[in-house]
Amino acid sequence: MSTFEPQIIAYCCANCASSAAQVSEKMGLNLPENVKVIQLPCTGRLDSLHLLKALEAGADGVYVAGCQIDSCQYKHGVEKAQKKVKYVQELLGALGVEADRVALFHMMAGKGQGFVDAAKDMVEKVRALGPSPLKD
C-alpha cells in the first residue's frame, strides 16, 4: 500500500518568504516535491478565492508564507492575508472540511530552515488528513 502524498500549494510573498526560500537553497535544503510555490508581490494581494480555487482544482492543502507582522514591506499585507486565511478556515469548517487544510506561516527573510520546516509541517498535517474532499 502506498502512502498518500498530498498536493500542496504555497503562496509566498516576494520579500520575506522568497528570501527565506533563497537562503534554504543556498543551505542545500529542498522543499518536498509535492509543494508548488506561487510567488506574490505581497500576501495581502491574495484573495480568499485563490485559496478556495486551489483546493477545488485538486490541491489537498494550501498555505500562505508571509512576512512577520512587524516586517511587512507593505505595512499590513500579511495582516490582510491572515484575515483571509481565517475566513477560508471558517468557511471550510462550516462545509464540514478540515480547516487545517489552509494555513499561514510567518517567515523571517534569513531563516531558510524555517521556510522548509513550514512546508514539511504542512505536508505532514495534510497527509494525516487524507485526500481533499473538495477535488473536482
Side-chain angles (χ1 to χ4, degrees):
M1 186 171 135
S2 64
T3 304
F4 164 65
E5 284 301 326
Q7 296 304 304
I8 307 290
I9 301 293
Y11 290 103
C12 298
C13 80
N15 296 300
C16 292
S18 290
S19 294
Q22 290 171 356
V23 170
S24 71
E25 288 175 16
K26 288 178 183 172
M27 294 171 66
L29 303 172
N30 296 315
L31 286 180
E33 288 184 18
N34 49 336
V35 175
K36 179 182 178 191
V37 174
I38 298 173
Q39 187 170 308
L40 303 171
C42 174
T43 56
R45 301 287 307 260
L46 186 70
D47 192 278
S48 302
L49 283 175
H50 293 116
L51 302 171
L52 292 167
K53 285 288 191 183
L55 293 168
E56 181 184 51
D60 297 294
V62 183
Y63 72 92
V64 179
C67 300
Q68 298 288 322
I69 297 269
D70 62 350
S71 62
C72 179
Q73 180 176 334
Y74 297 100
K75 297 195 179 171
H76 303 290
V78 75
E79 292 172 26
K80 291 177 185 177
Q82 199 165 8
K83 288 177 184 173
K84 292 169 187 172
V85 166
K86 185 176 180 349
Y87 170 75
V88 171
Q89 288 172 329
E90 290 170 356
L91 185 60
L92 291 176
L95 294 171
V97 177
E98 304 92 343
D100 285 347
R101 291 190 182 279
V102 178
L104 181 130
F105 296 96
H106 296 283
M107 300 283 132
M108 292 180 71
K111 302 291 184 179
Q113 185 67 55
F115 184 78
V116 173
D117 288 347
K120 289 180 178 179
D121 288 350
M122 192 67 184
V123 167
E124 289 305 315
K125 186 187 309 182
V126 175
R127 184 181 289 134
L129 295 173
S132 173
L134 298 174
K135 289 184 182 183
D136 287 337

